[in-house]
Amino acid sequence: MKHKIGLLGFGTVGQGISEILLNKKDDLKKKYGFKYDIVAVADFKFGNVYNPKGLDIALMLKEASAGKKFSKDVVDWDNHKIIKKSNTTVWCELTYTDLQTGGPAIGHVKTALESGKHIVTSNKGPAALHYPKMKKLAGKNGVRFMIEGTVVAGTPVINLATGPLAGCNISKIRGILNGTTNYMLTEMEKGMSYSDVLKVAQEKGYAEADPTGDVEGYDARAKVTILANVVMGAGIAIDEVSCEGITKITPADIEKAKKQGKRWKLIGSVEMKENKVEASVKPQMIDLTHPLAGVMGAGNALTFSTDLLGDVTIVGPGAGKKETGFAILSDLLAIHREG
Ligand code: HSE
């Protein structure tokens, strides 16, 4: 079967997955029998385009990097029409995250699933706010709602927990889920000021469009909510996760931790306690001997506490164009494998 892919959003991640698919086209076919066409793209800046036989993605990447609108295969269909009427089999929802309402991504996800088309997404909105409902809707329509890219980009935490670790009972998940704040804490430890380091994190592209989402812990809280619901089946809402960011950490706090052989980290945690899930995001002083203490810069890491293996820690990148693009590819390949 040839996958007919649609992309909602042609920003960093949309361009990232397009480049990967283009560069690996032959390899993916040879190794996994994965054949595809990208047939539709909907982007509010570059326009909506559709060609049932496949778009000229190389040209579109050139146009986007020059800041130009798409010139070929332009249609005047809105996003919902293009989702429904195109010959797409799977849609990658890669528009901006809105953690208040989930929109407009949530509307795209619903329309695609109701039209019997798979969804692969790195957008935290639909996953953090509506995971149980969307999963059910996907099941009802015989398609998949895939969200690996919503937590720690392409570092395979959701697939690890639900795949290889499936036979274990996971009682606790604890980790560094936000690259911006981890980078800031790392640099503040070296003596840089909070405001200077936030500026650098923005320049490096780690921070959200509005960095309040990073420094106040809201981005990590969305990821904690997703982990609680997907890995532990908690059925909790995002506002049930207590949340404190790094804005109150002072140079004196950093010194205090150093003296105690510890280091500040913004820790997201989900724990099963007497059949109840407790979830939080808060800065914690971590002993330097713990694997999470060694994760510096924009790195992310998660420790799963399990009954059969004890602690399993995975460390990897939590953001980036090719890193998040890879998450999308891994979900596309999973759909290909499992049908
Ligand atoms: N702003 C996020 C971070 C990007 O710093 O981790 C990935 O969600």
Side-chain angles (χ1 to χ4, degrees):
M1 167 197 177
K2 201 168 194 186
H3 302 276
K4 296 282 185 179
I5 300 172
L7 306 177
L8 287 148
F10 203 68
T12 309
V13 185
Q15 292 175 39
I17 179 62
S18 298
E19 284 172 4
I20 294 173
L21 285 171
L22 210 55
N23 295 338
K24 288 186 178 263
K25 188 160 194 160
D26 294 340
D27 213 30
L28 292 171
K29 188 173 157 193
K30 208 158 79 192
K31 275 193 186 151
Y32 312 113
F34 181 88
K35 288 181 276 175
Y36 76 88
D37 289 318
I38 300 180
V39 294
V41 173
D43 185 273
F44 77 98
K45 186 168 157 201
F46 303 118
N48 287 9
V49 288
Y50 173 52
N51 184 330
K53 294 199 177 118
L55 296 164
D56 185 347
I57 287 292
L59 172 69
M60 289 165 62
L61 283 166
K62 257 192 222 152
E63 289 174 338
S65 69
K68 288 189 191 150
K69 282 191 170 270
F70 298 139
S71 60
K72 244 171 116 179
D73 301 312
V74 177
V75 288
D76 64 359
W77 296 358
D78 70 14
N79 292 4
H80 293 270
K81 185 164 176 186
I82 204 168
I83 293 171
K84 284 193 269 193
K85 297 275 180 202
S86 58
N87 65 344
T88 42
T89 54
V90 52
W91 277 93
C92 304
E93 213 304 332
L94 315 170
T95 64
Y96 65 92
T97 292
D98 176 341
L99 290 174
Q100 301 297 318
T101 65
I106 189 66
H108 298 152
V109 170
K110 265 195 208 156
T111 300
L113 297 177
E114 281 164 358
S115 311
K117 301 176 182 201
H118 303 287
I119 278 283
V120 171
T121 188
S122 57
N123 190 319
K124 291 172 284 258
L129 302 176
H130 302 290
Y131 179 77
K133 261 195 243 156
M134 292 307 108
K135 182 92 181 144
K136 210 164 146 197
L137 185 61
K140 199 172 134 199
N141 288 285
V143 287
R144 312 281 300 273
F145 177 54
M146 307 286 281
I147 60 162
E148 180 60 59
T150 61
V151 183
V152 196
T155 305
V157 295
I158 290 178
N159 286 328
L160 174 67
T162 55
L165 292 181
C168 284
N169 183 21
I170 297 172
S171 55
K172 188 171 176 182
I173 309 170
R174 189 167 177 243
I176 298 163
L177 292 162
N178 180 269
T180 302
T181 47
N182 204 53
Y183 176 77
M184 289 176 70
L185 291 170
T186 301
E187 294 304 313
M188 282 162 72
E189 209 180 299
K190 294 183 201 156
M192 214 167 166
S193 77
Y194 178 92
S195 54
D196 283 350
V197 74
L198 175 57
K199 232 182 270 162
V200 181
Q202 283 176 292
E203 280 160 16
K204 285 186 180 279
Y206 304 144
E208 298 292 303
D210 175 1
T212 318
D214 298 290
V215 295
E216 296 289 0
Y218 306 146
D219 173 72
R221 178 169 65 172
K223 294 165 184 167
V224 162
T225 310
I226 294 168
L227 289 169
N229 289 334
V230 178
V231 180
M232 293 196 175
I236 59 166
I238 194 163
D239 53 13
E240 290 175 65
V241 179
S242 64
C243 182
E244 186 188 327
I246 64 158
T247 52
K248 292 189 193 124
I249 294 186
T250 62
D253 293 326
I254 290 173
E255 271 316 301
K256 186 174 128 199
K258 263 190 205 166
K259 280 192 190 129
Q260 293 179 20
K262 293 182 180 176
R263 171 171 284 151
W264 286 99
K265 294 286 177 197
L266 183 65
I267 299 293
S269 156
V270 188
E271 190 168 5
M272 187 66 85
K273 274 188 181 160
E274 290 156 15
N275 285 330
K276 232 186 133 235
V277 168
E278 282 179 12
S280 65
V281 172
K282 61 174 184 249
Q284 290 179 26
M285 283 199 287
I286 303 287
D287 209 281
L288 290 179
T289 56
H290 192 280
L292 293 180
V295 179
M296 305 300 275
N300 281 193
L302 273 183
T303 299
F304 293 94
S305 300
T306 74
D307 55 348
L308 301 178
L309 295 176
D311 281 0
V312 176
T313 298
I314 179 160
V315 182
K321 187 178 183 183
K322 71 172 182 311
E323 293 81 354
T324 312
F326 167 74
I328 304 302
L329 175 65
S330 71
D331 279 347
L332 288 171
L333 288 174
I335 288 172
H336 175 67
R337 266 195 314 272
E338 293 153 32

